[in-house]
Amino acid sequence: MMDQLIFASEVLVNGLMTGVMYSLVALGFVLIYKASGVFNYAQGVMALFAALTLVGIQQGQVPFAHLINAMFGTHLEHFGWTVPSVLAILLTAVVMIGLAWLIEKLVLQHLVGQEPIILFMATIGLAYFLEGFGDVMWGADIKTLDVGLPQGISDTVEATTAEWFGYGYFIDRLDIWATIIAAILVAALVAFSQYTKQGRAMRAVADDHQAALSVGISLQFIWIMVWSIAGFVALVAGIMWGTKSGVQFSLSLIALKALPVLMLGGFTSIPGAIVGGLIVGVGEKLFEFFIGPLVGGATENWFAYVLALLFLVFRPQGLFGEKIIERV
């Protein structure tokens, strides 16, 4: 019995860290939905595109090399240099800000005043375009991403838990770093939205577009800013997931895992994205540990969605979401 409890506590810790990774993706959804009312289906692909761009810059890869080689019969692959990780991350952040500006100029600006379903469909088109554009720009092969984050089992945690419980926990150091970085990112986002002029303007736009316009707040600026922040969050998520499992096109599917997180936490709450991610991460790990063996395993594939469905039935706005009441 005691052994089971110790194993369960190890599963719980791993679930918490997995939940933080889910929360990173969910944060991008929340930021854009909160400021513009648009559910950004392309958030997962933005994480993939950011990770592909980071690897390409880091390794000195020639953009569109496959296309150029096919058209002109050349054999271009790399420039012959490598870029330090920190500089590559900064350059990728600049690319994501440029992408946000282009999205606002070429897509959103032309859809002002349209129904939310039109904007949602636009983000679906954007997702498939970005996925194809990333393929043409950087190639479709699986890439290794290494920005210097520690990986492998933490000897310190293993030795400490072995001394306390007589059993050493197997905790990946990358998960520990992901948890620390996510916590810093969330604290920075909350501080930005609460204590800065731009953050207060973002909240004003989220509450009422027309009222925000009437006091001189530029919707264009706010949307570019929010999409830029969402692009940076996608970059952080892409680094963590890409380092963990390699940069490949299935990386964009992590967005699907963020959906139950949003349903639990609420589409408009930053703390909700964190709490929802932790609930999903811990819930699916413990459910797999206790119930999985009784039903044939693989419960992690569907547990989060069933849990989210139950929340939708009894609390549609999620734990921290705003309850919207329309009077007619």
Side-chain angles (χ1 to χ4, degrees), residues 2-324:
M2 183 56 71
D3 288 345
Q4 283 288 89
L5 288 175
I6 292 174
F7 292 152
S9 64
E10 183 187 16
V11 171
L12 187 146
V13 172
N14 275 291
L16 284 172
M17 296 188 175
T18 303
V20 170
M21 302 282 270
Y22 293 154
S23 300
L24 273 177
V25 183
L27 272 177
F29 284 98
V30 169
L31 285 169
I32 292 178
Y33 188 82
K34 189 175 176 62
S36 62
V38 177
F39 180 81
N40 179 26
Y41 183 83
Q43 188 64 33
V45 181
M46 286 172 66
L48 167 66
F49 185 79
L52 283 172
T53 304
L54 175 58
V55 174
I57 292 175
Q58 197 177 25
Q59 297 179 355
Q61 189 178 343
V62 177
F64 306 104
H66 295 287
L67 184 62
I68 295 172
N69 292 338
M71 290 177 65
F72 302 105
T74 54
H75 301 283
L76 298 174
E77 290 293 339
H78 294 85
F79 289 112
W81 67 65
T82 56
V83 178
S85 297
V86 174
L87 180 58
I89 291 172
L90 291 175
L91 290 173
T92 307
V94 172
V95 171
M96 296 308 292
I97 292 173
L99 179 67
W101 183 81
L102 285 174
I103 290 173
E104 200 283 331
K105 284 290 180 187
L106 301 178
V107 181
L108 298 179
Q109 197 175 79
H110 302 283
L111 296 176
V112 173
Q114 296 292 331
E115 295 291 329
I117 186 63
I118 302 297
L119 294 167
F120 172 64
M121 295 300 290
T123 64
I124 292 179
L126 180 65
Y128 284 101
F129 169 77
L130 275 182
E131 191 168 323
F133 189 69
D135 185 359
V136 174
M137 192 171 181
W138 301 114
D141 52 316
I142 300 174
K143 298 172 176 61
T144 302
L145 177 58
D146 182 7
V147 294
L149 289 174
Q151 295 186 59
I153 302 302
S154 171
D155 295 331
T156 304
V157 173
E158 186 180 13
T160 303
T161 51
E163 184 180 342
W164 288 354
F165 308 115
Y167 171 78
Y169 285 12
F170 288 83
I171 305 294
D172 195 323
R173 286 183 293 170
L174 177 62
D175 291 338
I176 297 174
W177 275 98
T179 304
I180 295 171
I181 292 171
I184 294 172
L185 186 62
V186 170
L189 287 172
V190 171
F192 175 79
S193 64
Q194 294 291 335
Y195 303 113
T196 66
K197 180 181 177 181
Q198 289 77 14
R200 287 192 290 271
M202 184 178 75
R203 287 190 289 136
V205 170
D207 289 339
D208 192 323
H209 287 186
Q210 296 300 325
L213 276 173
S214 68
V215 295
I217 296 174
S218 168
L219 287 183
Q220 183 184 18
F221 171 75
I222 295 297
W223 281 351
I224 292 176
M225 182 185 73
V226 169
W227 277 79
S228 298
I229 296 174
F232 180 74
V233 172
L235 170 60
V236 176
I239 290 173
M240 298 305 167
W241 284 99
T243 304
K244 194 178 182 69
S245 56
V247 180
Q248 51 189 315
F249 280 80
S250 62
L251 191 67
S252 61
L253 299 179
I254 61 173
L256 298 179
K257 207 67 175 190
L259 295 180
V261 173
L262 294 169
M263 293 174 192
L264 262 66
F267 282 78
T268 57
S269 171
I270 292 175
I274 303 301
V275 175
L278 296 179
I279 291 175
V280 168
V282 171
E284 68 178 17
K285 296 294 183 189
L286 289 179
F287 194 83
E288 177 69 32
F289 181 74
F290 287 111
I291 309 298
L294 304 177
V295 296
T299 59
E300 288 187 46
N301 295 330
W302 52 263
F303 171 80
Y305 299 97
V306 174
L307 184 63
L309 180 61
L310 292 174
F311 263 78
L312 283 178
V313 171
F314 295 104
R315 190 174 171 81
Q317 71 272 29
L319 290 172
F320 296 86
E322 298 167 1
K323 191 171 185 179
I324 300 172

